[in-house]
Amino acid sequence: MKIVIAPDSFKESLDAASVAKCIENGFREVFPDAEYVALPLADGGEGTVDVLLQGLSGNKYTTEVMGPLGNTVAAQWAMLEPSPSNPKRTALVEIAAASGLDLLAPDKRNPMLATSFGTGQLMLEAIEQGAEAIILGLGGSATNDGGAGIVQALGGKLLDEQGKEIALGGFALSQLTSIDLSELDERLRNIDLTVACDVANPLCGENGASHIFGPQKGASSEQVQALDSALHHFATVAMQQHPSVAKADTLEISGYGAAGGTPMGLSLLFAMQLKPGIEMVLDTLNADEVLKGASLVVTGEGQMDNQTLQGKTPFGIALRAQKQGIPTIGIAGSLGTEVDELYSAMGSLFGTVRSPQPLEQVLKEAEINLTRTARNIAATLKLGSAILN
């Protein structure tokens, strides 16, 4: 019996590899002779670099770059070595590493000023180190600057009506008059860029970057309106001055609202491919081959509810398993009140928290509770098999 264990992390308690190990330990108590294949996953946000490095050959690096509010941060990224399935030297970069929300204390978060400049510096460093392709994960950003900081870091000039470069940050885009791309690094045109995101929001409007994600990044209701207007202005100037790269439907493109509108700026620099994060990870790790011959898939994440349907890891791997006729069980730190639609892809769902507890205790006991839950699931499967036989 082959069991593929393919979870995301349990945020703030266990990384994806640790989650997979706990589940395997629980199952081994009941099925010691089964074949276990660990496939830790991520959906393009924090942890994506580590997940891909566990399944592929490469090296991790640390580069000092500009943080979201101008401070210096030590940001990690990785370079994958060429392989038969991936012949190009490919850099793995997370926007969260250089421009992430977790880099700022809650009282310091300010999307009016936060910049993606440091992410552009990481991409430039990867190119300096010989990258021919870049995979950029967009989860967890502190920014709402439409990727303008990346444009500025890679040689683009965003100018005001006096011909001076505008300041960094989302609100400064309201002062934008012209976009000068004449001094872009020439190497950009040869880079294959895959952008991984787990949202389908457009750039602007009530469902756009500023309105949906701005408040969690520290924006007041008035700032949300200002940031949305600034992003709209950025897109308008880009479409007017650079129609060959800024598409006419820029304001409607699904996913352009990810990471504070970062795909907007990237579209000025690259012929990028925008993919759901989990699909990018599954394809890069050749998950369909890993699943072949499996009797069961066990997946999970910290919180599971109907939002899991929106490009999250458990739903993504469950759909891949479903195509091969493999049943999937989901384990979550906690289950939301709305999970009914998840049963379309997962046979059963389990939460690990035994009783109402303070969050600190839940996080502390995550490993024990997860292992115990996995063991109980395996025991139930064994009991069911015995009864049916």
Side-chain angles (χ1 to χ4, degrees):
M1 177 172 61
K2 176 181 175 180
I3 300 174
V4 176
I5 303 173
D8 204 329
S9 64
F10 280 30
K11 195 169 183 180
E12 297 185 43
S13 56
L14 298 169
D15 61 25
S18 298
V19 172
K21 188 62 178 176
C22 288
I23 294 173
E24 179 178 338
N25 288 342
F27 264 74
R28 279 193 181 278
E29 291 185 29
V30 181
F31 297 115
D33 297 325
E35 176 190 356
Y36 294 95
V37 178
L39 185 66
L41 296 174
D43 56 19
E46 301 95 322
T48 299
V49 167
D50 288 333
V51 161
L52 293 179
L53 278 181
Q54 289 177 48
L56 303 167
S57 176
N59 297 294
K60 186 182 287 188
Y61 302 92
T62 300
T63 302
E64 288 194 348
V65 297
M66 181 186 292
L69 291 181
N71 54 312
T72 299
V73 299
Q76 292 188 327
W77 60 283
M79 185 81 81
L80 299 179
E81 295 302 323
S83 67
S85 61
N86 184 36
K88 294 187 175 183
R89 282 176 58 82
T90 300
L92 308 176
V93 178
E94 295 176 12
I95 196 169
S99 314
L101 194 63
D102 287 346
L103 297 175
L104 301 173
D107 62 341
K108 300 295 184 182
R109 295 171 182 174
N110 187 346
M112 300 283 277
L113 302 178
T115 177
S116 57
F117 193 92
T119 298
Q121 290 177 303
L122 279 187
M123 297 172 74
L124 183 59
E125 176 65 14
I127 294 170
E128 294 281 357
Q129 297 299 325
E132 301 167 286
I134 297 174
I135 294 174
L136 176 62
L138 293 187
S141 82
T143 60
N144 205 102
D145 71 345
I150 296 175
V151 175
Q152 292 164 309
L154 293 177
K157 295 185 184 300
L158 306 182
L159 308 174
D160 63 17
E161 61 182 0
Q162 281 82 41
K164 297 179 180 179
E165 292 200 45
I166 63 173
L168 300 174
F171 183 63
L173 292 171
S174 61
Q175 306 300 314
L176 181 66
T177 299
S178 63
I179 302 172
D180 181 358
L181 302 179
S182 63
E183 296 184 21
L184 288 178
D185 192 306
E186 293 184 358
R187 293 171 295 181
L188 300 183
R189 68 184 65 179
N190 298 318
I191 298 296
D192 291 339
L193 176 66
T194 300
V195 180
C197 67
D198 61 359
V199 302
N201 304 76
L203 183 66
C204 299
E206 293 185 0
N207 198 39
S210 306
H211 282 273
I212 299 301
F213 307 111
Q216 72 190 42
K217 299 177 183 183
S220 66
S221 57
E222 293 81 9
Q223 289 174 332
V224 164
Q225 295 295 337
L227 288 166
D228 186 64
S229 177
L231 283 181
H232 191 283
H233 180 65
F234 182 27
T236 300
V237 174
M239 288 186 290
Q240 291 173 346
Q241 297 184 4
H242 298 280
S244 63
V245 289
K247 301 174 184 177
D249 61 347
T250 289
L251 293 172
E252 286 78 45
I253 298 176
S254 176
Y256 265 42
T262 293
M264 173 63 243
L266 292 172
S267 71
L268 299 174
L269 310 177
F270 303 94
M272 65 181 178
Q273 183 179 14
L274 192 63
K275 295 181 67 173
I278 183 57
E279 297 303 318
M280 179 278 295
V281 171
L282 292 173
D283 289 342
T284 304
L285 293 177
N286 206 14
D288 292 334
E289 284 296 318
V290 175
L291 290 173
K292 285 183 178 179
S295 303
L296 175 68
V297 171
V298 185
T299 186
E301 64 179 347
Q303 167 75 21
M304 204 179 295
D305 52 31
N306 277 355
Q307 289 193 17
T308 304
L309 297 165
Q310 309 303 316
K312 299 298 184 182
T313 292
F315 192 62
I317 188 64
L319 289 179
R320 294 291 184 101
Q322 194 175 60
K323 289 179 180 179
Q324 297 191 34
I326 306 167
T328 299
I329 291 174
I331 306 177
S334 63
L335 293 174
T337 56
E338 298 181 352
V339 296
D340 293 347
E341 292 185 47
L342 287 175
Y343 291 118
S344 65
M346 286 180 253
S348 55
L349 302 171
F350 297 86
T352 66
V353 179
R354 294 171 294 155
S355 61
Q357 297 173 328
L359 178 59
E360 182 179 354
Q361 184 177 357
V362 169
L363 298 177
K364 183 178 180 180
E365 297 180 357
E367 183 173 345
I368 295 172
N369 289 337
L370 177 57
T371 304
R372 181 186 294 113
T373 300
R375 183 262 171 212
N376 289 340
I377 292 170
T380 302
L381 291 173
K382 187 173 184 178
L383 177 61
S385 178
I387 293 173
L388 292 176
N389 291 332

